Amino acid sequence: MSFTASVLRVVIASPSDIPEARDAVEGALHNWNDANSISKHIVLLPWRWETASVPLLGGHPQAQINEQGVDSADIVIALFGSRLGSPTPEAVSGTVEEIERSVATGKLVHLYFSTAPLPRDIDTAQLDGLREFRHQISQRGLLGEFVNVAQLEHEVWKAIEFDVAKLDLNVSALATVSRGVKFSAQPHEERELKEYDKRGKARYTTRHWIEITNSGDKDATDVTFEVVGEHSSMMLTCDDEPTIIHAGQTRRLSVVHYLQGSDPDVIRIHWAENGEKKHKDFHVG
């Protein structure tokens, strides 16, 4: 099915020490497309220099990255782990240059810092430079943090929803075609303060949930959920009674995780659509 859409280029900027985080951002953008592109007529196009840039001589590598990807971006998602990155002729690092260049041209820039434990072989000079940059940039806007890739994916979704509302894109569809029920399942987690021990040290617990969204144009009736696999580490804590998820509605499904379990985290959604029973599996690990 063809549809008219605005395509937004989203540059993923970071030093080379956090490839998993870069992958998580790209995955979150693709998942957002799956859930929203048809209904909102917007497609997010991730751009990463290591996969999208074209080898070309005739200038500093960072200048080529700027010309091929950064300068034509609509949104920039920048990440830092424990390194600031390699210096360029224009800035203390390539990632910093991409951030500064994008801010200067009025692009939407979201900046996140990892709070995960630092690696044992950390480069202290890089870490010092990163801390100095964070101190300076914190005076110029709001910064984000992430402790793991699941939280980062959640933060990216929030940022994209903010950007889409801010840009207020108005695109008309070529044709109105019924999409039926279209589910997506996005895992989330949040660290919460549980209590303080006798020494006054804070103890935390992590709350997990899955956001189930029906981005189609039909209501899903008789909706139930189940965990797939005999040895899953995930358990649902919701009511077993069938429910209705209306078109455009999102439901929060609470889950708990155990240390044991060898099967991947997969949730199966059952529903009825126009009197026909259907089901679909979603990997949420």
Side-chain angles (χ1 to χ4, degrees), residues 185 187 189 208 210 226-229 231-236 255-268 281-285:
E189 65 178 44
H208 298 269
I210 302 170
E226 67 169 315
V227 174
V228 178
H231 304 289
S232 176
S233 62
M234 182 175 66
M235 184 179 76
L236 305 180
V255 299
V256 294
H257 289 273
Y258 299 96
L259 295 177
Q260 298 82 6
S262 56
D263 291 339
D265 291 336
V266 178
I267 186 172
R268 178 172 295 162
D281 292 352
F282 297 87
H283 287 264
V284 291

Side-chain angles (χ1 to χ4, degrees), residues 27-229:
L29 297 177
H30 288 310
N31 289 337
W32 191 95
N33 283 337
D34 291 341
N36 297 283
S37 287
I38 296 178
S39 61
K40 296 184 177 180
H41 309 298
I42 295 171
V43 175
L44 305 176
L45 181 63
W47 195 92
R48 300 169 60 169
W49 73 266
E50 70 268 36
T51 56
S53 62
V54 177
L56 183 66
L57 297 178
H60 190 276
Q62 186 61 52
Q64 299 290 356
I65 292 173
N66 294 339
E67 181 179 351
Q68 294 185 31
V70 177
D71 290 349
S72 58
D74 300 285
I75 301 168
V76 175
I77 297 177
L79 316 168
F80 287 100
S82 61
R83 292 178 54 84
L84 182 61
S86 301
T88 71
E90 303 296 332
V92 293
S93 82
T95 305
V96 172
E97 181 174 336
E98 292 165 10
I99 293 170
E100 296 290 3
R101 195 177 183 95
S102 298
V103 171
T105 53
K107 302 182 190 303
L108 296 166
V109 180
H110 307 287
L111 179 53
Y112 301 95
F113 292 86
S114 172
T115 59
L118 297 172
R120 293 183 178 180
D121 59 346
I122 188 169
D123 185 326
T124 56
Q126 280 283 324
L127 183 60
D128 290 342
L130 177 59
R131 287 172 173 169
E132 176 63 22
F133 169 71
R134 177 168 182 169
H135 173 72
Q136 294 176 358
I137 200 74
S138 66
Q139 310 302 314
R140 298 165 55 189
L142 293 175
L143 308 181
E145 295 181 339
F146 64 97
V147 69
N148 53 41
V149 294
Q151 183 184 3
L152 178 58
E153 290 171 355
H154 175 61
E155 294 297 326
V156 169
W157 269 60
K158 286 197 315 183
I160 292 301
E161 291 293 340
F162 175 87
D163 293 345
V164 167
K166 187 177 181 66
L167 291 170
D168 191 25
L169 301 171
N170 184 15
V171 183
S172 300
L174 287 172
T176 301
V177 179
S178 177
R179 302 186 303 277
V181 173
K182 184 174 177 61
F183 278 124
S184 63
Q186 181 70 19
H188 300 278
E189 65 178 44
E190 185 175 61
R191 194 178 184 213
E192 295 180 331
L193 177 64
K194 182 178 181 181
E195 61 185 2
Y196 291 93
D197 62 17
K198 295 180 179 179
R199 298 181 178 179
K201 185 177 180 180
R203 291 180 177 177
Y204 294 88
T205 184
T206 302
R207 183 166 57 93
H208 298 269
W209 73 92
I210 302 170
E211 288 188 355
I212 307 295
T213 300
N214 177 10
S215 60
D217 56 6
K218 296 291 184 181
D219 295 343
T221 60
D222 296 328
V223 182
T224 58
F225 310 95
E226 67 169 315
V227 174
V228 178

